[in-house]
Amino acid sequence: MALRFMTKDLLIIFVKNLVLGKVKTRLAHALGKQAAFEIYRALLDLTRRATLDVKADVRIFYSDAIVEDGWTTASKHIQKGNTIGERMMNAFKEGFETGYEQIILIGSDLPDMNLNLIEEGFKSLSKADCIFGPSADGGYYLVGLNRLHKFIFEDKPWSQPQLLEETLRELRSKNLKFKTLMTLNDIDTVEDLKTSNFFKSNFKLQAKLKAMS
């Protein structure tokens, strides 16, 4: 596998293994498992294309098993931990122990993810202790650190609308400087999907979902 030369910056991408019935479960309840599978596969492809030219080393962390896919210039790992907080913290920990100075972690289901946003994140880390990309549901789609702050990932209301608010409150109490990027919306519900430019402009996906209905 061809890997990039190490830089001071690391981009971590959390990926769910593409398994029927195990991805986008809320969409699966409304649209069916196959439709949810196709939607997540399209989002994975979008994330891959959005990060191809990032000026940082890239690590892909899979939920269950390492697979051969389009990320040929990234190193591949498996997420470790029982909660999403533990898994993110462990990924950051490994990165800092390797020697990286700035690390950003993103998911793989955000239709508006783009290279400019990631580059803005790395630039912001030179002036702040932490950065977050707020999601419209009260969580965050991106988190970046220039050193490990374990409390960010401990005892937090994951998947709840107060997640980012509580995290930022704790950062303020510890006098840590943070910056937030633009707010974006991920795709968890049918309404999220139908109102997204990702879906409106993806005629191939529209055709597949129409054929399944």
Side-chain angles (χ1 to χ4, degrees):
M1 179 188 298
L3 298 178
R4 303 180 182 192
F5 292 105
M6 179 176 160
T7 70
K8 69 174 183 177
D9 297 335
L10 173 65
L11 175 66
I12 293 172
I13 306 173
F14 265 30
V15 170
K16 285 190 176 180
N17 283 91
L18 198 55
V19 177
L20 188 68
K22 291 189 176 182
V23 295
K24 287 295 165 191
T25 53
R26 289 172 65 185
L27 280 174
H29 288 145
L31 300 175
K33 294 179 181 179
Q34 187 62 44
F37 180 92
E38 295 295 344
I39 291 166
Y40 187 60
R41 178 157 61 181
L43 287 167
L44 275 177
D45 183 61
L46 185 153
T47 304
R48 185 162 43 238
R49 287 186 281 111
T51 57
L52 277 176
D53 296 321
V54 67
K55 295 179 177 65
D57 288 345
V58 180
R59 290 184 178 182
I60 310 300
F61 278 79
Y62 296 91
S63 57
D64 299 303
I66 293 173
V67 297
E68 292 302 320
D69 52 25
W71 272 297
T72 56
T73 58
S75 62
K76 299 182 178 183
H77 310 260
I78 298 175
Q79 298 170 29
K80 301 174 184 176
N82 296 319
T83 67
I84 183 61
E86 289 178 1
R87 295 194 292 271
M88 289 195 293
M89 181 173 67
N90 287 331
F92 272 102
K93 183 173 181 290
E94 289 180 22
F96 284 122
E97 288 177 347
T98 302
Y100 291 103
E101 297 177 10
Q102 297 188 144
I103 302 176
I104 285 177
L105 184 151
I106 63 173
S108 51
D109 59 356
L110 192 79
D112 295 316
M113 180 56 66
N114 60 74
L115 180 61
N116 289 338
L117 196 59
I118 296 168
E119 290 180 342
E120 180 185 353
F122 279 119
K123 185 177 179 179
S124 298
L125 274 176
S126 64
K127 301 177 182 179
D129 299 298
C130 319
I131 60 164
F132 294 90
S135 54
D137 61 7
Y140 51 84
Y141 61 85
L142 177 153
V143 54
L145 304 174
N146 49 36
R147 72 182 182 89
L148 184 61
H149 301 287
K150 290 185 177 181
F151 71 88
I152 290 175
F153 308 106
E154 296 173 337
D155 302 317
K156 293 297 183 294
W158 303 110
S159 301
Q160 299 299 314
Q162 68 272 30
L163 171 61
L164 182 57
E165 180 184 353
E166 287 195 13
T167 303
L168 298 184
R169 185 184 303 122
E170 192 167 6
L171 286 167
R172 292 188 187 97
S173 72
K174 296 179 182 296
N175 295 315
L176 290 172
K177 187 176 181 180
F178 63 84
K179 178 177 173 58
T180 57
L181 306 176
M182 66 185 299
T183 300
L184 298 177
N185 194 23
D186 56 9
I187 294 180
D188 289 321
T189 67
V190 174
E191 186 61 26
D192 293 336
L193 177 66
K194 289 182 177 179
T195 58
S196 68
N197 290 327
F198 155 76
F199 181 69
K200 292 176 182 177
S201 62
N202 194 325
F203 301 111
K204 184 178 180 180
L205 179 60
Q206 290 178 37
K208 283 186 177 181
L209 298 186
K210 185 176 181 180
M212 295 174 195
S213 63

